[in-house]
Amino acid sequence: MRLARIERNHTQEFIATRLNLTQSYYAKIERGNAKLTLDVFFQLLDILELNYLDFFK
């Protein structure tokens, strides 16, 4: 997720705001230190303009 975010020039703050999360919590998600709900996962894919099948390749 981090690489896709950086490739699109999005900051953690931008993504966190769109997901209604704090930046620190989103950073924990990127590092794998916080759980990611399925709902937030699909919202994140939408923000990053990723297809879930491409994400898992």
Side-chain angles (χ1 to χ4, degrees):
M1 287 189 285
R2 181 177 186 270
L3 183 58
R5 175 182 61 78
I6 291 169
E7 286 175 349
R8 286 157 181 78
N9 296 315
H10 294 320
T11 63
Q12 285 184 343
E13 185 67 35
F14 172 80
I15 300 292
T17 300
R18 297 277 311 268
L19 294 173
N20 200 29
L21 301 171
T22 65
Q23 181 274 328
S24 63
Y25 189 79
Y26 178 72
K28 288 178 184 179
I29 291 172
E30 276 194 354
R31 290 191 310 267
N33 296 331
K35 292 186 179 183
L36 179 66
T37 66
L38 194 55
D39 184 48
V40 171
F41 174 70
F42 281 113
Q43 288 178 43
L44 184 55
L45 289 179
D46 187 46
I47 293 166
L48 296 174
E49 300 174 350
L50 293 174
N51 171 318
Y52 74 93
L53 294 174
D54 292 335
F55 178 81
F56 288 109
K57 285 184 181 177

